[in-house]
Amino acid sequence: MTFRTYIVGAFASVLAVSAVSAADLPIYKAPPPPPPPPVFSWEGFHIGISGSYAGGVSSQYSQTYLLTPGSLLAIPTATSFGTSGYLVGYQNGYNWVFANGLVAGYESEFNYADVRATNAGSSFGGGASSRLQWFGMERLRFGYAFGRFLPYITGGLAYGKVRPYGQQGVFPVSQSVWQGGFAIGAGIEYAILDNWTVKAEYIFTRMKGASSANLAFPIGYRTGTGNYLDTNIARIGVNYQVKSFGALIGMPELGL
């Protein structure tokens, strides 16, 4: 056997052993790629809390009739003063998502309020003040979803419990009344997690109190023609998205 023949035979033996060893090795398969993250949906219930700054104008209009010898003198009175304060409350609602990305929703809320106003120049030499104590809204929302980002407009009914009080001559006057009106505004909401969103919105509300009439002892008669409360609300809030009614009550298997 020549040296060349020996080298060729040894090389062939190495190749054969390598092929046999490779056949005994397990076949490696790459793991499947991870599934894509689920697409966020605004569909479903939501509940949350919010805090707001509120400021605006309270306007009171009245007509005072003074009894004078042989005549009745009418004196119109208009008083306006600024308001400021805060609101803290909760909200809940439902969103419907359409195929073209439009989102329609309904939202209800109720707040504890401390929005105050004062004025020392009211009619009949007295002072006047006003405080918004409780505040709620029932609103529709319409927006367009850009993934997790939802800008929207909103509008609906506003109502609140207002306590006007002051001094009528030497007699203090204080009462709590419910007023109603409208609300309109706009906002943005962003999903920071699959079930948690944050929002910021601006809402303008106007509420009007009922007309009234009372004796202004001992010299005349007064009629109130309006008690308007205009409020600008700037707020931030947090919502928890409940994707189904079953999940809301702790029974996701219902799938409702």
Side-chain angles (χ1 to χ4, degrees), residues 159-219:
Y159 61 94
K161 191 174 187 180
V162 182
R163 184 189 177 196
Y165 51 92
Q167 192 80 14
Q168 182 65 54
V170 296
F171 302 102
V173 178
S174 178
Q175 61 180 344
S176 294
V177 295
W178 286 95
Q179 296 183 187
F182 68 88
I184 187 169
I188 55 174
E189 192 166 0
Y190 181 75
I192 55 176
L193 297 171
D194 287 342
N195 290 95
W196 291 96
T197 65
V198 293
K199 71 173 184 177
E201 58 187 7
Y202 164 78
I203 298 175
F204 171 79
T205 69
R206 167 168 287 188
M207 298 187 296
K208 180 180 183 298
S211 298
S212 63
N214 64 288
L215 288 174
F217 253 153
I219 55 175

Side-chain angles (χ1 to χ4, degrees), residues 61-68 72-78 123-124 219-225:
Y61 303 92
S62 63
Q63 189 88 351
T64 302
Y65 300 91
L66 297 180
L67 301 176
T68 61
L72 186 65
L73 179 62
I75 303 177
T77 303
S123 61
F124 276 72
I219 55 175
Y221 183 79
R222 185 176 64 180
T223 60
T225 59

Side-chain angles (χ1 to χ4, degrees), residues 71-145:
S71 65
L72 186 65
L73 179 62
I75 303 177
T77 303
T79 304
S80 297
F81 41 86
T83 64
S84 64
Y86 67 90
L87 302 95
V88 178
Y90 79 95
Q91 66 270 349
N92 62 84
Y94 192 92
N95 290 325
W96 292 270
V97 179
F98 300 94
N100 55 6
L102 294 177
V103 178
Y106 177 82
E107 190 165 87
S108 175
E109 67 173 77
F110 195 73
N111 301 266
Y112 168 78
D114 188 5
V115 181
R116 299 172 181 263
T118 59
N119 177 38
S122 184
S123 61
F124 276 72
S129 184
S130 181
R131 178 192 172 193
L132 178 63
Q133 298 175 306
W134 300 98
F135 179 76
M137 289 189 287
E138 306 292 329
R139 297 180 287 122
L140 296 176
R141 302 199 309 173
F142 298 95
Y144 188 88

